[in-house]
Amino acid sequence: MGMGIILWFALSILAGVFASNRGFSFIATFLLSLILSPLVGFISVLVRKPRPTEAERAAAAAEVAASKRCPYCAEIIKREAVVCRFCDRRIPVPAEIAMPATAAEEEALMAQLGITYDGDQYCFQSHRYERLRDAIAYASSSAR
């Protein structure tokens, strides 16, 4: 009887250590294992997806920062991409044109580039944009 309790306690500690190594609480898993069973503790750790480490979270954040959405098909592509690998369309390059400061300058630039505004979106040829900056960038890159 005494040997069984010691084994139960030791296996509960091992379940807690296993949980801690996978990014979960040692105490919670240890207590779960101690009260229910060390087998339940091990299974609870195995069933849960391991939590990412700080380095993995930083790498994921860097990957997100190095990507953007294609304005045509909305797939995620690299920020430096010139052509979308999914829809094979040319990605608008940010224009060197300074954004207009006043509404009159904005209207003049839109007229010069052939951009219209329908009250909801900016239109250039058959393309629609939510931001004027995107419409100007595409219109000026296609004018080159």
PDB file of all heavy atoms in Angstrom, residues 47-85:
ATOM      1  N   VAL A  47      -3.332  15.530 -25.059  1.00  0.00           N
ATOM      2  CA  VAL A  47      -4.472  15.942 -25.874  1.00  0.00           C
ATOM      3  C   VAL A  47      -4.370  17.419 -26.251  1.00  0.00           C
ATOM      4  O   VAL A  47      -4.730  17.804 -27.357  1.00  0.00           O
ATOM      5  CB  VAL A  47      -5.790  15.664 -25.115  1.00  0.00           C
ATOM      6  CG1 VAL A  47      -6.970  16.312 -25.791  1.00  0.00           C
ATOM      7  CG2 VAL A  47      -6.006  14.172 -25.008  1.00  0.00           C
ATOM      8  N   ARG A  48      -3.848  18.245 -25.356  1.00  0.00           N
ATOM      9  CA  ARG A  48      -3.750  19.677 -25.623  1.00  0.00           C
ATOM     10  C   ARG A  48      -2.573  19.978 -26.544  1.00  0.00           C
ATOM     11  O   ARG A  48      -1.540  19.318 -26.507  1.00  0.00           O
ATOM     12  CB  ARG A  48      -3.561  20.458 -24.319  1.00  0.00           C
ATOM     13  CG  ARG A  48      -4.782  20.400 -23.437  1.00  0.00           C
ATOM     14  CD  ARG A  48      -4.585  21.212 -22.202  1.00  0.00           C
ATOM     15  NE  ARG A  48      -3.750  20.461 -21.266  1.00  0.00           N
ATOM     16  CZ  ARG A  48      -3.391  20.915 -20.065  1.00  0.00           C
ATOM     17  NH1 ARG A  48      -3.749  22.098 -19.668  1.00  0.00           N
ATOM     18  NH2 ARG A  48      -2.654  20.165 -19.279  1.00  0.00           N
ATOM     19  N   LYS A  49      -2.775  20.983 -27.380  1.00  0.00           N
ATOM     20  CA  LYS A  49      -1.719  21.420 -28.280  1.00  0.00           C
ATOM     21  C   LYS A  49      -0.661  22.177 -27.464  1.00  0.00           C
ATOM     22  O   LYS A  49      -1.012  23.016 -26.630  1.00  0.00           O
ATOM     23  CB  LYS A  49      -2.342  22.352 -29.325  1.00  0.00           C
ATOM     24  CG  LYS A  49      -1.479  22.662 -30.492  1.00  0.00           C
ATOM     25  CD  LYS A  49      -2.350  23.270 -31.579  1.00  0.00           C
ATOM     26  CE  LYS A  49      -1.734  24.530 -32.089  1.00  0.00           C
ATOM     27  NZ  LYS A  49      -2.531  25.152 -33.122  1.00  0.00           N
ATOM     28  N   PRO A  50       0.619  21.914 -27.683  1.00  0.00           N
ATOM     29  CA  PRO A  50       1.644  22.613 -26.907  1.00  0.00           C
ATOM     30  C   PRO A  50       1.607  24.123 -27.160  1.00  0.00           C
ATOM     31  O   PRO A  50       1.362  24.567 -28.275  1.00  0.00           O
ATOM     32  CB  PRO A  50       2.970  22.030 -27.382  1.00  0.00           C
ATOM     33  CG  PRO A  50       2.656  21.031 -28.409  1.00  0.00           C
ATOM     34  CD  PRO A  50       1.188  20.975 -28.620  1.00  0.00           C
ATOM     35  N   ARG A  51       1.830  24.884 -26.127  1.00  0.00           N
ATOM     36  CA  ARG A  51       1.848  26.338 -26.260  1.00  0.00           C
ATOM     37  C   ARG A  51       3.157  26.769 -26.904  1.00  0.00           C
ATOM     38  O   ARG A  51       4.219  26.241 -26.589  1.00  0.00           O
ATOM     39  CB  ARG A  51       1.696  26.997 -24.899  1.00  0.00           C
ATOM     40  CG  ARG A  51       0.334  26.741 -24.318  1.00  0.00           C
ATOM     41  CD  ARG A  51       0.100  27.599 -23.127  1.00  0.00           C
ATOM     42  NE  ARG A  51      -1.248  27.352 -22.640  1.00  0.00           N
ATOM     43  CZ  ARG A  51      -1.630  27.597 -21.414  1.00  0.00           C
ATOM     44  NH1 ARG A  51      -0.785  28.093 -20.551  1.00  0.00           N
ATOM     45  NH2 ARG A  51      -2.866  27.359 -21.051  1.00  0.00           N
ATOM     46  N   PRO A  52       3.087  27.765 -27.806  1.00  0.00           N
ATOM     47  CA  PRO A  52       4.322  28.220 -28.452  1.00  0.00           C
ATOM     48  C   PRO A  52       5.233  28.950 -27.466  1.00  0.00           C
ATOM     49  O   PRO A  52       4.763  29.647 -26.564  1.00  0.00           O
ATOM     50  CB  PRO A  52       3.821  29.171 -29.545  1.00  0.00           C
ATOM     51  CG  PRO A  52       2.450  29.570 -29.130  1.00  0.00           C
ATOM     52  CD  PRO A  52       1.909  28.454 -28.300  1.00  0.00           C
ATOM     53  N   THR A  53       6.516  28.784 -27.681  1.00  0.00           N
ATOM     54  CA  THR A  53       7.489  29.474 -26.842  1.00  0.00           C
ATOM     55  C   THR A  53       7.582  30.933 -27.283  1.00  0.00           C
ATOM     56  O   THR A  53       7.035  31.323 -28.307  1.00  0.00           O
ATOM     57  CB  THR A  53       8.873  28.809 -26.954  1.00  0.00           C
ATOM     58  OG1 THR A  53       9.323  28.953 -28.303  1.00  0.00           O
ATOM     59  CG2 THR A  53       8.830  27.341 -26.567  1.00  0.00           C
ATOM     60  N   GLU A  54       8.304  31.720 -26.521  1.00  0.00           N
ATOM     61  CA  GLU A  54       8.465  33.136 -26.844  1.00  0.00           C
ATOM     62  C   GLU A  54       9.177  33.297 -28.197  1.00  0.00           C
ATOM     63  O   GLU A  54       8.818  34.165 -28.989  1.00  0.00           O
ATOM     64  CB  GLU A  54       9.271  33.831 -25.737  1.00  0.00           C
ATOM     65  CG  GLU A  54       9.278  35.328 -25.834  1.00  0.00           C
ATOM     66  CD  GLU A  54       7.894  35.932 -25.663  1.00  0.00           C
ATOM     67  OE1 GLU A  54       7.112  35.458 -24.835  1.00  0.00           O
ATOM     68  OE2 GLU A  54       7.599  36.902 -26.388  1.00  0.00           O
ATOM     69  N   ALA A  55      10.160  32.442 -28.469  1.00  0.00           N
ATOM     70  CA  ALA A  55      10.880  32.513 -29.745  1.00  0.00           C
ATOM     71  C   ALA A  55       9.951  32.160 -30.916  1.00  0.00           C
ATOM     72  O   ALA A  55      10.013  32.794 -31.975  1.00  0.00           O
ATOM     73  CB  ALA A  55      12.078  31.572 -29.729  1.00  0.00           C
ATOM     74  N   GLU A  56       9.081  31.170 -30.730  1.00  0.00           N
ATOM     75  CA  GLU A  56       8.138  30.794 -31.789  1.00  0.00           C
ATOM     76  C   GLU A  56       7.135  31.909 -32.043  1.00  0.00           C
ATOM     77  O   GLU A  56       6.774  32.185 -33.185  1.00  0.00           O
ATOM     78  CB  GLU A  56       7.412  29.501 -31.415  1.00  0.00           C
ATOM     79  CG  GLU A  56       8.300  28.271 -31.439  1.00  0.00           C
ATOM     80  CD  GLU A  56       7.626  27.051 -30.850  1.00  0.00           C
ATOM     81  OE1 GLU A  56       6.701  27.207 -30.017  1.00  0.00           O
ATOM     82  OE2 GLU A  56       8.031  25.939 -31.213  1.00  0.00           O
ATOM     83  N   ARG A  57       6.673  32.575 -30.961  1.00  0.00           N
ATOM     84  CA  ARG A  57       5.749  33.700 -31.131  1.00  0.00           C
ATOM     85  C   ARG A  57       6.422  34.855 -31.851  1.00  0.00           C
ATOM     86  O   ARG A  57       5.810  35.512 -32.694  1.00  0.00           O
ATOM     87  CB  ARG A  57       5.219  34.156 -29.773  1.00  0.00           C
ATOM     88  CG  ARG A  57       4.054  33.318 -29.311  1.00  0.00           C
ATOM     89  CD  ARG A  57       3.434  33.880 -28.061  1.00  0.00           C
ATOM     90  NE  ARG A  57       3.721  32.877 -27.035  1.00  0.00           N
ATOM     91  CZ  ARG A  57       4.136  33.114 -25.824  1.00  0.00           C
ATOM     92  NH1 ARG A  57       4.278  34.325 -25.391  1.00  0.00           N
ATOM     93  NH2 ARG A  57       4.382  32.129 -25.000  1.00  0.00           N
ATOM     94  N   ALA A  58       7.690  35.122 -31.532  1.00  0.00           N
ATOM     95  CA  ALA A  58       8.426  36.201 -32.196  1.00  0.00           C
ATOM     96  C   ALA A  58       8.626  35.879 -33.674  1.00  0.00           C
ATOM     97  O   ALA A  58       8.511  36.753 -34.537  1.00  0.00           O
ATOM     98  CB  ALA A  58       9.763  36.431 -31.509  1.00  0.00           C
ATOM     99  N   ALA A  59       8.924  34.614 -33.991  1.00  0.00           N
ATOM    100  CA  ALA A  59       9.103  34.211 -35.387  1.00  0.00           C
ATOM    101  C   ALA A  59       7.795  34.341 -36.162  1.00  0.00           C
ATOM    102  O   ALA A  59       7.785  34.788 -37.314  1.00  0.00           O
ATOM    103  CB  ALA A  59       9.620  32.777 -35.460  1.00  0.00           C
ATOM    104  N   ALA A  60       6.683  33.990 -35.546  1.00  0.00           N
ATOM    105  CA  ALA A  60       5.382  34.122 -36.206  1.00  0.00           C
ATOM    106  C   ALA A  60       5.036  35.584 -36.442  1.00  0.00           C
ATOM    107  O   ALA A  60       4.508  35.947 -37.493  1.00  0.00           O
ATOM    108  CB  ALA A  60       4.297  33.446 -35.371  1.00  0.00           C
ATOM    109  N   ALA A  61       5.356  36.437 -35.470  1.00  0.00           N
ATOM    110  CA  ALA A  61       5.090  37.872 -35.624  1.00  0.00           C
ATOM    111  C   ALA A  61       5.957  38.460 -36.737  1.00  0.00           C
ATOM    112  O   ALA A  61       5.491  39.308 -37.515  1.00  0.00           O
ATOM    113  CB  ALA A  61       5.351  38.602 -34.314  1.00  0.00           C
ATOM    114  N   ALA A  62       7.198  38.011 -36.844  1.00  0.00           N
ATOM    115  CA  ALA A  62       8.085  38.489 -37.911  1.00  0.00           C
ATOM    116  C   ALA A  62       7.571  38.031 -39.272  1.00  0.00           C
ATOM    117  O   ALA A  62       7.649  38.772 -40.256  1.00  0.00           O
ATOM    118  CB  ALA A  62       9.502  37.984 -37.680  1.00  0.00           C
ATOM    119  N   GLU A  63       7.038  36.828 -39.339  1.00  0.00           N
ATOM    120  CA  GLU A  63       6.492  36.316 -40.601  1.00  0.00           C
ATOM    121  C   GLU A  63       5.264  37.108 -41.035  1.00  0.00           C
ATOM    122  O   GLU A  63       5.102  37.431 -42.211  1.00  0.00           O
ATOM    123  CB  GLU A  63       6.130  34.841 -40.433  1.00  0.00           C
ATOM    124  CG  GLU A  63       5.682  34.177 -41.702  1.00  0.00           C
ATOM    125  CD  GLU A  63       5.432  32.695 -41.515  1.00  0.00           C
ATOM    126  OE1 GLU A  63       6.205  32.044 -40.803  1.00  0.00           O
ATOM    127  OE2 GLU A  63       4.448  32.196 -42.091  1.00  0.00           O
ATOM    128  N   VAL A  64       4.423  37.453 -40.078  1.00  0.00           N
ATOM    129  CA  VAL A  64       3.241  38.261 -40.382  1.00  0.00           C
ATOM    130  C   VAL A  64       3.664  39.651 -40.838  1.00  0.00           C
ATOM    131  O   VAL A  64       3.090  40.217 -41.774  1.00  0.00           O
ATOM    132  CB  VAL A  64       2.302  38.333 -39.153  1.00  0.00           C
ATOM    133  CG1 VAL A  64       1.243  39.400 -39.334  1.00  0.00           C
ATOM    134  CG2 VAL A  64       1.662  36.979 -38.911  1.00  0.00           C
ATOM    135  N   ALA A  65       4.681  40.219 -40.190  1.00  0.00           N
ATOM    136  CA  ALA A  65       5.155  41.560 -40.554  1.00  0.00           C
ATOM    137  C   ALA A  65       5.789  41.570 -41.944  1.00  0.00           C
ATOM    138  O   ALA A  65       5.792  42.595 -42.616  1.00  0.00           O
ATOM    139  CB  ALA A  65       6.153  42.067 -39.523  1.00  0.00           C
ATOM    140  N   ALA A  66       6.307  40.430 -42.383  1.00  0.00           N
ATOM    141  CA  ALA A  66       6.970  40.354 -43.684  1.00  0.00           C
ATOM    142  C   ALA A  66       6.013  39.954 -44.802  1.00  0.00           C
ATOM    143  O   ALA A  66       6.442  39.624 -45.897  1.00  0.00           O
ATOM    144  CB  ALA A  66       8.119  39.355 -43.612  1.00  0.00           C
ATOM    145  N   SER A  67       4.700  39.993 -44.513  1.00  0.00           N
ATOM    146  CA  SER A  67       3.736  39.603 -45.538  1.00  0.00           C
ATOM    147  C   SER A  67       2.627  40.641 -45.648  1.00  0.00           C
ATOM    148  O   SER A  67       2.475  41.501 -44.798  1.00  0.00           O
ATOM    149  CB  SER A  67       3.155  38.231 -45.212  1.00  0.00           C
ATOM    150  OG  SER A  67       2.459  38.279 -43.983  1.00  0.00           O
ATOM    151  N   LYS A  68       1.863  40.526 -46.732  1.00  0.00           N
ATOM    152  CA  LYS A  68       0.712  41.404 -46.970  1.00  0.00           C
ATOM    153  C   LYS A  68      -0.299  40.626 -47.783  1.00  0.00           C
ATOM    154  O   LYS A  68      -0.023  39.527 -48.259  1.00  0.00           O
ATOM    155  CB  LYS A  68       1.142  42.671 -47.703  1.00  0.00           C
ATOM    156  CG  LYS A  68       1.670  42.408 -49.115  1.00  0.00           C
ATOM    157  CD  LYS A  68       2.057  43.690 -49.795  1.00  0.00           C
ATOM    158  CE  LYS A  68       2.615  43.399 -51.182  1.00  0.00           C
ATOM    159  NZ  LYS A  68       3.014  44.598 -51.872  1.00  0.00           N
ATOM    160  N   ARG A  69      -1.477  41.199 -47.966  1.00  0.00           N
ATOM    161  CA  ARG A  69      -2.521  40.551 -48.766  1.00  0.00           C
ATOM    162  C   ARG A  69      -2.495  41.121 -50.179  1.00  0.00           C
ATOM    163  O   ARG A  69      -2.322  42.306 -50.378  1.00  0.00           O
ATOM    164  CB  ARG A  69      -3.887  40.776 -48.156  1.00  0.00           C
ATOM    165  CG  ARG A  69      -4.081  40.000 -46.888  1.00  0.00           C
ATOM    166  CD  ARG A  69      -5.554  39.886 -46.562  1.00  0.00           C
ATOM    167  NE  ARG A  69      -5.733  39.067 -45.379  1.00  0.00           N
ATOM    168  CZ  ARG A  69      -5.899  37.756 -45.397  1.00  0.00           C
ATOM    169  NH1 ARG A  69      -5.906  37.117 -46.532  1.00  0.00           N
ATOM    170  NH2 ARG A  69      -6.054  37.088 -44.288  1.00  0.00           N
ATOM    171  N   CYS A  70      -2.700  40.242 -51.142  1.00  0.00           N
ATOM    172  CA  CYS A  70      -2.821  40.673 -52.527  1.00  0.00           C
ATOM    173  C   CYS A  70      -4.102  41.495 -52.644  1.00  0.00           C
ATOM    174  O   CYS A  70      -5.156  41.063 -52.176  1.00  0.00           O
ATOM    175  CB  CYS A  70      -2.878  39.455 -53.450  1.00  0.00           C
ATOM    176  SG  CYS A  70      -3.265  39.863 -55.169  1.00  0.00           S
ATOM    177  N   PRO A  71      -4.050  42.680 -53.279  1.00  0.00           N
ATOM    178  CA  PRO A  71      -5.257  43.500 -53.388  1.00  0.00           C
ATOM    179  C   PRO A  71      -6.303  42.922 -54.337  1.00  0.00           C
ATOM    180  O   PRO A  71      -7.434  43.386 -54.355  1.00  0.00           O
ATOM    181  CB  PRO A  71      -4.729  44.838 -53.904  1.00  0.00           C
ATOM    182  CG  PRO A  71      -3.430  44.538 -54.528  1.00  0.00           C
ATOM    183  CD  PRO A  71      -2.874  43.346 -53.821  1.00  0.00           C
ATOM    184  N   TYR A  72      -5.950  41.891 -55.096  1.00  0.00           N
ATOM    185  CA  TYR A  72      -6.877  41.314 -56.075  1.00  0.00           C
ATOM    186  C   TYR A  72      -7.508  40.018 -55.584  1.00  0.00           C
ATOM    187  O   TYR A  72      -8.715  39.841 -55.673  1.00  0.00           O
ATOM    188  CB  TYR A  72      -6.161  41.077 -57.401  1.00  0.00           C
ATOM    189  CG  TYR A  72      -5.496  42.324 -57.909  1.00  0.00           C
ATOM    190  CD1 TYR A  72      -4.125  42.461 -57.877  1.00  0.00           C
ATOM    191  CD2 TYR A  72      -6.255  43.380 -58.388  1.00  0.00           C
ATOM    192  CE1 TYR A  72      -3.514  43.618 -58.323  1.00  0.00           C
ATOM    193  CE2 TYR A  72      -5.656  44.545 -58.826  1.00  0.00           C
ATOM    194  CZ  TYR A  72      -4.281  44.659 -58.798  1.00  0.00           C
ATOM    195  OH  TYR A  72      -3.696  45.811 -59.222  1.00  0.00           O
ATOM    196  N   CYS A  73      -6.701  39.090 -55.061  1.00  0.00           N
ATOM    197  CA  CYS A  73      -7.249  37.790 -54.663  1.00  0.00           C
ATOM    198  C   CYS A  73      -7.253  37.588 -53.144  1.00  0.00           C
ATOM    199  O   CYS A  73      -7.754  36.578 -52.674  1.00  0.00           O
ATOM    200  CB  CYS A  73      -6.476  36.660 -55.336  1.00  0.00           C
ATOM    201  SG  CYS A  73      -4.763  36.492 -54.773  1.00  0.00           S
ATOM    202  N   ALA A  74      -6.678  38.519 -52.406  1.00  0.00           N
ATOM    203  CA  ALA A  74      -6.657  38.517 -50.934  1.00  0.00           C
ATOM    204  C   ALA A  74      -5.839  37.383 -50.322  1.00  0.00           C
ATOM    205  O   ALA A  74      -5.960  37.114 -49.137  1.00  0.00           O
ATOM    206  CB  ALA A  74      -8.077  38.508 -50.376  1.00  0.00           C
ATOM    207  N   GLU A  75      -5.006  36.731 -51.095  1.00  0.00           N
ATOM    208  CA  GLU A  75      -4.110  35.714 -50.544  1.00  0.00           C
ATOM    209  C   GLU A  75      -2.910  36.406 -49.899  1.00  0.00           C
ATOM    210  O   GLU A  75      -2.527  37.503 -50.283  1.00  0.00           O
ATOM    211  CB  GLU A  75      -3.613  34.764 -51.653  1.00  0.00           C
ATOM    212  CG  GLU A  75      -4.686  33.871 -52.212  1.00  0.00           C
ATOM    213  CD  GLU A  75      -5.117  32.779 -51.253  1.00  0.00           C
ATOM    214  OE1 GLU A  75      -4.401  32.491 -50.276  1.00  0.00           O
ATOM    215  OE2 GLU A  75      -6.202  32.221 -51.486  1.00  0.00           O
ATOM    216  N   ILE A  76      -2.302  35.745 -48.925  1.00  0.00           N
ATOM    217  CA  ILE A  76      -1.148  36.321 -48.236  1.00  0.00           C
ATOM    218  C   ILE A  76       0.101  36.062 -49.067  1.00  0.00           C
ATOM    219  O   ILE A  76       0.389  34.925 -49.448  1.00  0.00           O
ATOM    220  CB  ILE A  76      -1.008  35.733 -46.832  1.00  0.00           C
ATOM    221  CG1 ILE A  76      -2.219  36.128 -46.001  1.00  0.00           C
ATOM    222  CG2 ILE A  76       0.272  36.200 -46.176  1.00  0.00           C
ATOM    223  CD1 ILE A  76      -2.273  35.529 -44.634  1.00  0.00           C
ATOM    224  N   ILE A  77       0.842  37.143 -49.341  1.00  0.00           N
ATOM    225  CA  ILE A  77       2.069  37.059 -50.130  1.00  0.00           C
ATOM    226  C   ILE A  77       3.174  37.810 -49.400  1.00  0.00           C
ATOM    227  O   ILE A  77       2.911  38.529 -48.432  1.00  0.00           O
ATOM    228  CB  ILE A  77       1.869  37.653 -51.549  1.00  0.00           C
ATOM    229  CG1 ILE A  77       1.384  39.103 -51.451  1.00  0.00           C
ATOM    230  CG2 ILE A  77       0.902  36.802 -52.352  1.00  0.00           C
ATOM    231  CD1 ILE A  77       1.292  39.819 -52.774  1.00  0.00           C
ATOM    232  N   LYS A  78       4.405  37.662 -49.844  1.00  0.00           N
ATOM    233  CA  LYS A  78       5.519  38.387 -49.242  1.00  0.00           C
ATOM    234  C   LYS A  78       5.401  39.874 -49.540  1.00  0.00           C
ATOM    235  O   LYS A  78       4.924  40.274 -50.593  1.00  0.00           O
ATOM    236  CB  LYS A  78       6.849  37.851 -49.770  1.00  0.00           C
ATOM    237  CG  LYS A  78       7.132  36.448 -49.299  1.00  0.00           C
ATOM    238  CD  LYS A  78       8.485  35.985 -49.753  1.00  0.00           C
ATOM    239  CE  LYS A  78       8.744  34.583 -49.238  1.00  0.00           C
ATOM    240  NZ  LYS A  78      10.012  34.059 -49.682  1.00  0.00           N
ATOM    241  N   ARG A  79       5.846  40.695 -48.593  1.00  0.00           N
ATOM    242  CA  ARG A  79       5.724  42.139 -48.722  1.00  0.00           C
ATOM    243  C   ARG A  79       6.499  42.653 -49.936  1.00  0.00           C
ATOM    244  O   ARG A  79       6.084  43.617 -50.570  1.00  0.00           O
ATOM    245  CB  ARG A  79       6.242  42.814 -47.446  1.00  0.00           C
ATOM    246  CG  ARG A  79       6.009  44.300 -47.434  1.00  0.00           C
ATOM    247  CD  ARG A  79       6.124  44.917 -46.076  1.00  0.00           C
ATOM    248  NE  ARG A  79       5.197  44.430 -45.088  1.00  0.00           N
ATOM    249  CZ  ARG A  79       3.906  44.740 -45.021  1.00  0.00           C
ATOM    250  NH1 ARG A  79       3.392  45.520 -45.910  1.00  0.00           N
ATOM    251  NH2 ARG A  79       3.144  44.258 -44.069  1.00  0.00           N
ATOM    252  N   GLU A  80       7.597  42.026 -50.304  1.00  0.00           N
ATOM    253  CA  GLU A  80       8.429  42.475 -51.421  1.00  0.00           C
ATOM    254  C   GLU A  80       7.933  41.973 -52.774  1.00  0.00           C
ATOM    255  O   GLU A  80       8.515  42.289 -53.806  1.00  0.00           O
ATOM    256  CB  GLU A  80       9.877  42.008 -51.239  1.00  0.00           C
ATOM    257  CG  GLU A  80      10.560  42.574 -50.016  1.00  0.00           C
ATOM    258  CD  GLU A  80      10.231  41.805 -48.745  1.00  0.00           C
ATOM    259  OE1 GLU A  80       9.828  40.637 -48.823  1.00  0.00           O
ATOM    260  OE2 GLU A  80      10.350  42.409 -47.666  1.00  0.00           O
ATOM    261  N   ALA A  81       6.874  41.173 -52.799  1.00  0.00           N
ATOM    262  CA  ALA A  81       6.385  40.583 -54.049  1.00  0.00           C
ATOM    263  C   ALA A  81       5.950  41.654 -55.040  1.00  0.00           C
ATOM    264  O   ALA A  81       5.338  42.652 -54.676  1.00  0.00           O
ATOM    265  CB  ALA A  81       5.224  39.638 -53.764  1.00  0.00           C
ATOM    266  N   VAL A  82       6.294  41.439 -56.306  1.00  0.00           N
ATOM    267  CA  VAL A  82       5.901  42.333 -57.381  1.00  0.00           C
ATOM    268  C   VAL A  82       4.714  41.740 -58.138  1.00  0.00           C
ATOM    269  O   VAL A  82       3.863  42.467 -58.625  1.00  0.00           O
ATOM    270  CB  VAL A  82       7.094  42.570 -58.335  1.00  0.00           C
ATOM    271  CG1 VAL A  82       6.696  43.443 -59.492  1.00  0.00           C
ATOM    272  CG2 VAL A  82       8.261  43.177 -57.574  1.00  0.00           C
ATOM    273  N   VAL A  83       4.666  40.398 -58.202  1.00  0.00           N
ATOM    274  CA  VAL A  83       3.574  39.681 -58.855  1.00  0.00           C
ATOM    275  C   VAL A  83       3.020  38.670 -57.857  1.00  0.00           C
ATOM    276  O   VAL A  83       3.775  37.967 -57.191  1.00  0.00           O
ATOM    277  CB  VAL A  83       4.077  38.959 -60.130  1.00  0.00           C
ATOM    278  CG1 VAL A  83       2.987  38.117 -60.750  1.00  0.00           C
ATOM    279  CG2 VAL A  83       4.629  39.946 -61.122  1.00  0.00           C
ATOM    280  N   CYS A  84       1.704  38.592 -57.755  1.00  0.00           N
ATOM    281  CA  CYS A  84       1.070  37.635 -56.844  1.00  0.00           C
ATOM    282  C   CYS A  84       1.265  36.221 -57.387  1.00  0.00           C
ATOM    283  O   CYS A  84       0.996  35.960 -58.563  1.00  0.00           O
ATOM    284  CB  CYS A  84      -0.415  37.948 -56.707  1.00  0.00           C
ATOM    285  SG  CYS A  84      -1.298  36.733 -55.696  1.00  0.00           S
ATOM    286  N   ARG A  85       1.712  35.311 -56.541  1.00  0.00           N
ATOM    287  CA  ARG A  85       1.951  33.935 -56.992  1.00  0.00           C
ATOM    288  C   ARG A  85       0.659  33.145 -57.138  1.00  0.00           C
ATOM    289  O   ARG A  85       0.660  32.051 -57.702  1.00  0.00           O
ATOM    290  CB  ARG A  85       2.903  33.219 -56.044  1.00  0.00           C
ATOM    291  CG  ARG A  85       2.328  32.973 -54.680  1.00  0.00           C
ATOM    292  CD  ARG A  85       3.375  32.373 -53.758  1.00  0.00           C
ATOM    293  NE  ARG A  85       2.815  32.142 -52.450  1.00  0.00           N
ATOM    294  CZ  ARG A  85       2.896  30.991 -51.814  1.00  0.00           C
ATOM    295  NH1 ARG A  85       3.525  29.978 -52.362  1.00  0.00           N
ATOM    296  NH2 ARG A  85       2.355  30.863 -50.635  1.00  0.00           N
TER     297      ARG A  85
END
